PDB file of all heavy atoms in Angstrom:
ATOM      1  N   TYR A  50     -18.187  44.368  12.384  1.00  0.00           N
ATOM      2  CA  TYR A  50     -17.286  45.506  12.238  1.00  0.00           C
ATOM      3  C   TYR A  50     -17.893  46.780  12.836  1.00  0.00           C
ATOM      4  O   TYR A  50     -17.979  47.806  12.191  1.00  0.00           O
ATOM      5  CB  TYR A  50     -16.981  45.772  10.752  1.00  0.00           C
ATOM      6  CG  TYR A  50     -15.957  44.850  10.164  1.00  0.00           C
ATOM      7  CD1 TYR A  50     -16.340  43.815   9.321  1.00  0.00           C
ATOM      8  CD2 TYR A  50     -14.617  45.024  10.422  1.00  0.00           C
ATOM      9  CE1 TYR A  50     -15.393  42.972   8.750  1.00  0.00           C
ATOM     10  CE2 TYR A  50     -13.666  44.182   9.876  1.00  0.00           C
ATOM     11  CZ  TYR A  50     -14.050  43.168   9.024  1.00  0.00           C
ATOM     12  OH  TYR A  50     -13.133  42.327   8.477  1.00  0.00           O
ATOM     13  N   HIS A  51     -18.349  46.702  14.052  1.00  0.00           N
ATOM     14  CA  HIS A  51     -18.875  47.898  14.718  1.00  0.00           C
ATOM     15  C   HIS A  51     -18.241  47.959  16.117  1.00  0.00           C
ATOM     16  O   HIS A  51     -17.835  46.962  16.680  1.00  0.00           O
ATOM     17  CB  HIS A  51     -20.398  47.838  14.827  1.00  0.00           C
ATOM     18  CG  HIS A  51     -20.907  46.607  15.496  1.00  0.00           C
ATOM     19  ND1 HIS A  51     -20.974  46.459  16.856  1.00  0.00           N
ATOM     20  CD2 HIS A  51     -21.312  45.417  14.985  1.00  0.00           C
ATOM     21  CE1 HIS A  51     -21.424  45.260  17.150  1.00  0.00           C
ATOM     22  NE2 HIS A  51     -21.626  44.610  16.040  1.00  0.00           N
ATOM     23  N   LEU A  52     -18.149  49.141  16.624  1.00  0.00           N
ATOM     24  CA  LEU A  52     -17.442  49.357  17.892  1.00  0.00           C
ATOM     25  C   LEU A  52     -18.289  50.072  18.941  1.00  0.00           C
ATOM     26  O   LEU A  52     -17.846  50.267  20.049  1.00  0.00           O
ATOM     27  CB  LEU A  52     -16.158  50.155  17.668  1.00  0.00           C
ATOM     28  CG  LEU A  52     -15.113  49.449  16.807  1.00  0.00           C
ATOM     29  CD1 LEU A  52     -14.035  50.427  16.394  1.00  0.00           C
ATOM     30  CD2 LEU A  52     -14.524  48.278  17.532  1.00  0.00           C
ATOM     31  N   ASN A  53     -19.524  50.447  18.583  1.00  0.00           N
ATOM     32  CA  ASN A  53     -20.315  51.278  19.487  1.00  0.00           C
ATOM     33  C   ASN A  53     -20.791  50.550  20.730  1.00  0.00           C
ATOM     34  O   ASN A  53     -21.162  51.181  21.701  1.00  0.00           O
ATOM     35  CB  ASN A  53     -21.487  51.924  18.751  1.00  0.00           C
ATOM     36  CG  ASN A  53     -22.392  50.895  18.092  1.00  0.00           C
ATOM     37  OD1 ASN A  53     -22.027  49.726  17.999  1.00  0.00           O
ATOM     38  ND2 ASN A  53     -23.517  51.343  17.624  1.00  0.00           N
ATOM     39  N   ASP A  54     -20.787  49.211  20.727  1.00  0.00           N
ATOM     40  CA  ASP A  54     -21.203  48.499  21.927  1.00  0.00           C
ATOM     41  C   ASP A  54     -20.140  47.485  22.413  1.00  0.00           C
ATOM     42  O   ASP A  54     -20.437  46.554  23.109  1.00  0.00           O
ATOM     43  CB  ASP A  54     -22.544  47.786  21.691  1.00  0.00           C
ATOM     44  CG  ASP A  54     -22.465  46.757  20.580  1.00  0.00           C
ATOM     45  OD1 ASP A  54     -21.423  46.684  19.891  1.00  0.00           O
ATOM     46  OD2 ASP A  54     -23.431  46.016  20.400  1.00  0.00           O
ATOM     47  N   THR A  55     -18.923  47.722  21.990  1.00  0.00           N
ATOM     48  CA  THR A  55     -17.789  46.858  22.396  1.00  0.00           C
ATOM     49  C   THR A  55     -16.996  47.570  23.463  1.00  0.00           C
ATOM     50  O   THR A  55     -16.630  48.737  23.288  1.00  0.00           O
ATOM     51  CB  THR A  55     -16.893  46.541  21.184  1.00  0.00           C
ATOM     52  OG1 THR A  55     -17.703  45.964  20.178  1.00  0.00           O
ATOM     53  CG2 THR A  55     -15.806  45.567  21.541  1.00  0.00           C
ATOM     54  N   PHE A  56     -16.726  46.905  24.555  1.00  0.00           N
ATOM     55  CA  PHE A  56     -16.051  47.526  25.686  1.00  0.00           C
ATOM     56  C   PHE A  56     -14.538  47.361  25.548  1.00  0.00           C
ATOM     57  O   PHE A  56     -13.982  46.320  25.884  1.00  0.00           O
ATOM     58  CB  PHE A  56     -16.550  46.922  26.990  1.00  0.00           C
ATOM     59  CG  PHE A  56     -18.036  47.089  27.148  1.00  0.00           C
ATOM     60  CD1 PHE A  56     -18.894  46.018  26.955  1.00  0.00           C
ATOM     61  CD2 PHE A  56     -18.587  48.323  27.471  1.00  0.00           C
ATOM     62  CE1 PHE A  56     -20.262  46.172  27.079  1.00  0.00           C
ATOM     63  CE2 PHE A  56     -19.940  48.497  27.586  1.00  0.00           C
ATOM     64  CZ  PHE A  56     -20.783  47.422  27.402  1.00  0.00           C
ATOM     65  N   ILE A  57     -13.876  48.421  25.072  1.00  0.00           N
ATOM     66  CA  ILE A  57     -12.421  48.442  24.920  1.00  0.00           C
ATOM     67  C   ILE A  57     -11.894  49.411  25.963  1.00  0.00           C
ATOM     68  O   ILE A  57     -12.369  50.507  26.097  1.00  0.00           O
ATOM     69  CB  ILE A  57     -12.037  48.954  23.504  1.00  0.00           C
ATOM     70  CG1 ILE A  57     -12.697  48.159  22.408  1.00  0.00           C
ATOM     71  CG2 ILE A  57     -10.534  48.964  23.360  1.00  0.00           C
ATOM     72  CD1 ILE A  57     -12.186  46.780  22.182  1.00  0.00           C
ATOM     73  N   SER A  58     -10.869  48.961  26.684  1.00  0.00           N
ATOM     74  CA  SER A  58     -10.266  49.827  27.689  1.00  0.00           C
ATOM     75  C   SER A  58      -8.848  50.177  27.314  1.00  0.00           C
ATOM     76  O   SER A  58      -8.182  49.414  26.577  1.00  0.00           O
ATOM     77  CB  SER A  58     -10.306  49.171  29.072  1.00  0.00           C
ATOM     78  OG  SER A  58      -9.601  47.952  29.041  1.00  0.00           O
ATOM     79  N   CYS A  59      -8.374  51.284  27.801  1.00  0.00           N
ATOM     80  CA  CYS A  59      -7.004  51.756  27.528  1.00  0.00           C
ATOM     81  C   CYS A  59      -5.991  50.771  28.102  1.00  0.00           C
ATOM     82  O   CYS A  59      -6.158  50.254  29.205  1.00  0.00           O
ATOM     83  CB  CYS A  59      -6.813  53.145  28.163  1.00  0.00           C
ATOM     84  SG  CYS A  59      -5.131  53.792  27.951  1.00  0.00           S
ATOM     85  N   GLU A  60      -4.926  50.529  27.333  1.00  0.00           N
ATOM     86  CA  GLU A  60      -3.879  49.619  27.770  1.00  0.00           C
ATOM     87  C   GLU A  60      -3.072  50.180  28.938  1.00  0.00           C
ATOM     88  O   GLU A  60      -2.532  49.416  29.727  1.00  0.00           O
ATOM     89  CB  GLU A  60      -2.951  49.317  26.612  1.00  0.00           C
ATOM     90  CG  GLU A  60      -3.607  48.581  25.474  1.00  0.00           C
ATOM     91  CD  GLU A  60      -2.697  48.377  24.261  1.00  0.00           C
ATOM     92  OE1 GLU A  60      -1.641  49.063  24.193  1.00  0.00           O
ATOM     93  OE2 GLU A  60      -3.020  47.530  23.426  1.00  0.00           O
ATOM     94  N   LYS A  61      -3.027  51.492  29.052  1.00  0.00           N
ATOM     95  CA  LYS A  61      -2.222  52.122  30.126  1.00  0.00           C
ATOM     96  C   LYS A  61      -3.008  52.309  31.410  1.00  0.00           C
ATOM     97  O   LYS A  61      -2.607  51.864  32.477  1.00  0.00           O
ATOM     98  CB  LYS A  61      -1.708  53.479  29.663  1.00  0.00           C
ATOM     99  CG  LYS A  61      -0.403  53.451  28.960  1.00  0.00           C
ATOM    100  CD  LYS A  61       0.042  54.860  28.655  1.00  0.00           C
ATOM    101  CE  LYS A  61       1.527  54.976  28.678  1.00  0.00           C
ATOM    102  NZ  LYS A  61       1.942  56.333  28.372  1.00  0.00           N
ATOM    103  N   CYS A  62      -4.158  53.008  31.310  1.00  0.00           N
ATOM    104  CA  CYS A  62      -4.860  53.399  32.538  1.00  0.00           C
ATOM    105  C   CYS A  62      -6.120  52.579  32.815  1.00  0.00           C
ATOM    106  O   CYS A  62      -6.664  52.633  33.895  1.00  0.00           O
ATOM    107  CB  CYS A  62      -5.235  54.874  32.474  1.00  0.00           C
ATOM    108  SG  CYS A  62      -6.457  55.285  31.213  1.00  0.00           S
TER     109      CYS A  62
END
Side-chain angles (χ1 to χ4, degrees):
Y50 281 104
H51 55 83
L52 296 168
N53 57 349
D54 61 352
T55 304
F56 301 104
I57 306 287
S58 60
C59 177
E60 295 175 344
K61 271 184 149 179
C62 67

